[in-house]
Amino acid sequence: MQRIRKIASATVALSLVAAACGGSDDAADESATTDAPAADAPAADEPAASGEKVTIRWRTRPDNDAEAEVYGTISDSIDAENGDAVSLTYEPGTTDGANYQDQLITEIANGTAPDVFWIPGTDIARFQSAGLILDLAPIAAEDGFDTGEFYPEPMYHLTFDPDAGAPGDKLWGLPRDVSTFAMYLNNDLIAEAGADDPRALAEAGEWDWAAFAEVATAVSALGGENKGFAMDAWWGPIGYFIQAAGGSFLNEDGTECTVDSPEAIAGLTQMKAVYDGGLAVAYGESGEAPWKAGTVGMFMNGRWATPGARADANFNWDVVQLPTGPGGTQGNWLFWGAYVVNANTESPSEAFDLVQSLTTADTQASISELGANFGQAPERRCSRGLPWLHPAGKRASVPQRSC
Amino acid sequence: MSDTITTDTADSADAEAEPRNALGTGLGRQLKLLSLWHLVGAAVSVVGILLARRGGDIELPWMPRYALQGFFSFAFVAHMASAYGIGARARWVRPLSLAVNYLLTLVAAAATLHLFNAFRALGDLGEGLYKAFIPFGVICVGLLWVLLSGQMLTNRPTAVGPQRLRTAGWSVAGLASVWFVLKADPSGLILSIGDSLTRPLALGAIALTVGAALATRLMWSRAAAKHFGSTRATDEALSGLAFLSPNLLGFLIFFAFPLLFSLWVSFFDWDTTNTTRDFIGLENYIRALSIDFAHSSQSNSGTEVLKGGYQVLANLDWFGQHWVIGARDVEFWLSLKNIMVFLLLAVPLAVLPALVLSSVLASKLPGMKIFRTIYFIPSVAGVIGVAIVWGQMFDATIGWINYLLDLLGVSEAGQGQGWLTQPDTALLAMVIVFAWMSFGFNTVLYLAGHQAIPKELYEAAEIDGANTWQIFRRITVPQLRNTTFYVVITTSILALQLFDIVWILARPIAGGPNFATQTPVLTLYQEAFTNNRQGYASSLAWVLFIIIFSFTSFQFRRQRDEATSGGVS
């Protein structure tokens, strides 16, 4: 009994002295590795041993299974080209129910997010200010990487230095694609209504809000379920009306909300007039389903509506640019998304290599040819003359710039 | 003090029952080793505390730092007490040492599995099975033949056919196993295990698991029980706890801890991305619940009459007086208002039809079993699927509901009601879907309640000349009082937690038109995962908890009062 007490006291004293005096990290590490695996195990796992194969996980937000398969194929082919040192794992993000970006942020906070992921251009600032994405400028400089090959509009945001309040020596990612809104037309319905062809009006430079209202009124006058116009209720279509009238959501610095400016109110008034006049599918309801059902004359949407139209629309359809508003512009958006690198990645260099591989003209062409991003302008300029922009003769988006 | 008394008593009692030289026997040696094991454990715990405390470049974030320090301090005390207790032959040491070693075995086993990538290997195993699905099927066929031949041979042991079938079965299964291994290609798994075996950490984890398991076994043994004078009651309690432990540990780790942790988080300004974490006391609760009343000289006044930071929640005109109600978190207050309206509409709609329907289904009419199944189907259908289907039904332009109204001439084609997109009907649409999904299950609960009503009551009522309505009103409803209580409580709790239906069904965004379908759980989700304010979201969760708890306890109290005053008659 006494002996055990003595042993106990001696052990405690010794261990305290050893730990306090030793104090060096070597001694401590040794103890941790030999004696206390139970508690330290999770933290001590996954040693980044030199020579070990690096696995890079990456993710996009495919619209459907077919698109997920396309990216899986691309991942495998880049993986095969890379040799054995780096292995790629593609994880399609969810598109139903769960919000893609919310899930990503939670995973980054938990340390389980992929190394490389695609996010919409509108989320770059949010992810950057929360410190979730890596500044790739130092790695790009080492590689001598030229960002000048990309369209300048997305690069303005992707090289933005928040401290300087202007583009600078930063690189938050590389853009995957750009696209804009277009007006999808049901040519049969417009002809049946006896309205002018919006494509001809656009050619003649007469495609403005008055012409748009005339076409919409004529189609709606067909009666029944027919409506002249449809759009989905989110900031994109609403923003078009504001911008085409010469307004904007924010002032130039992005420091003040300007939806109450006279121009913005004029745009919103026009939008409201379209709904109040019974010319459009009810606000908030999905525009795509009735458009595909053939009861809508004009449907404002992005390139992402093209696969559905090609698959389901049993009528003669085409696209035309958005009508010019009183502000003298189309007020169109430039939609883009970028591949970015997780701020906590263990392999930043390999991750940037993947970002580069994913944005080469060849990869983007392959993605388009494999069937994803229908009618979308690949980001890199002067690649292959953009032949895939016109699948089956349908221009799905109007690129702001091309070669 | 009481420990000393217990120990002394145990000592003297054992001294009589067992010769004092027990420590010289095999058990004695093993107990000495166990005592040493605990001392080593105590020493390692001290090292653990110091490692968790160290700063510099490898400083741990504060939460794991404190958690690990707490864990190791607790382990240190438990180990020291165990080591002392074994020497002192204290009666309390057996449960303590058992608990310490049992938990250590579990943690070490989990760590071992983790270090051997076993959890990831489970995924590989699934992939292997997928790749080698055909050979796997062939193995199953082979084993099926063996099984069949076995059945036949029990009846006719000397029959040649079944014997051949058995041989063929084994051969096919054997060959297919080789094919399976080749196809599934477990070389990666084997290499990975081999690789792990060369790492000292993995070997240490195995040693720790084995050691802790042996220590548990020793303390569990009858000999140890006798040595420490365990009573029958202690033994039974230990057995009970051992059987309970998988569930209890799961409950503590995955339910109780996160629950209490969210309470802790609610006192912080805590960003999901960990960029902010400041203790702000009750500020989150104050922000959520702050409300301001202001008198105004004109109707429809704005924020100018409210305190700073408040937004307009509602404008009221009472007897010519204009009042403005403001809140700091308007969305949360709107969601509270919405959920109360939802509760008032959805619960009666989910309960009353169930009560009536169950009375019909409980009758002995032919075909009732089929109808019982039909009415139960919505309850087992997935919420997401149901919401998507209802979304299609409610669609203003291509939906079935408006189409049927058109056919009936109630509305005009192309002018149909936007059920989900108009603020006045959006919440009603949610009520319909919720009631449709809930009432089938409630019906089944009521049907079960019907079985318990004594048939004599109905017979007596019929003899007394009661009509159907009187029987339903005076016998069925009062007799189902307990079922009604349960159904109302569970349906109300489900209603107050409304999220999934709204998340899928609401248009154009989850909150619906002009926040018409904003619910508290939706607000909580958006705060936590869209606005990344985990602290504030946690405080909303606790406010919601208090509301649900108050509602339920109020119902309980009412039920009890009714029961004591003789109930409804």
Side-chain angles (χ1 to χ4, degrees), chain A residues 5 19 45-46 97 102 109 285, chain B residues 50 84 114 120 272 421 503 530:
Chain A
R5 275 188 190 155
D45 186 37
E46 309 290 348
D102 294 351
E285 300 287 339
Chain B
L50 293 169
Y84 168 79
H114 178 72
R120 214 171 287 168
T272 308
T421 50
W503 183 248
T530 306

Side-chain angles (χ1 to χ4, degrees), chain A residues 110-187:
Chain A
N110 288 331
T112 55
D115 301 279
V116 172
F117 43 85
W118 171 91
I119 49 173
T122 41
D123 280 290
I124 297 288
R126 177 182 168 206
F127 275 62
Q128 185 278 326
S129 58
L132 306 178
I133 54 177
L134 196 68
D135 177 12
L136 300 165
I139 309 173
E142 265 176 42
D143 291 4
F145 183 77
D146 178 20
T147 56
E149 288 180 26
F150 294 86
Y151 288 106
E153 289 86 353
M155 291 318 291
Y156 174 89
H157 300 281
L158 285 169
T159 55
F160 197 83
D161 183 352
D163 296 330
D169 192 18
K170 299 282 177 193
L171 185 61
W172 304 113
L174 293 178
R176 177 181 75 174
D177 45 32
V178 288
S179 65
T180 60
F181 268 145
M183 196 70 88
Y184 288 71
L185 303 172
N186 182 336
N187 293 330

Side-chain angles (χ1 to χ4, degrees), chain A residues 285-352:
Chain A
E285 300 287 339
S286 162
E288 188 157 9
W291 187 76
K292 286 200 286 196
T295 58
V296 169
M298 297 174 285
F299 174 43
M300 177 160 61
N301 212 338
R303 63 90 191 164
W304 47 88
T306 307
R310 295 169 91 215
D312 301 330
N314 293 319
F315 49 83
N316 177 22
W317 64 275
D318 203 345
V319 290
V320 70
Q321 66 194 49
L322 299 183
T324 310
T329 69
Q330 282 184 44
N332 213 329
W333 292 100
L334 189 68
F335 297 110
W336 56 277
Y339 290 111
V340 295
V341 174
N342 185 341
N344 301 321
T345 182
E346 286 178 7
S347 319
S349 177
E350 287 82 358
F352 184 55

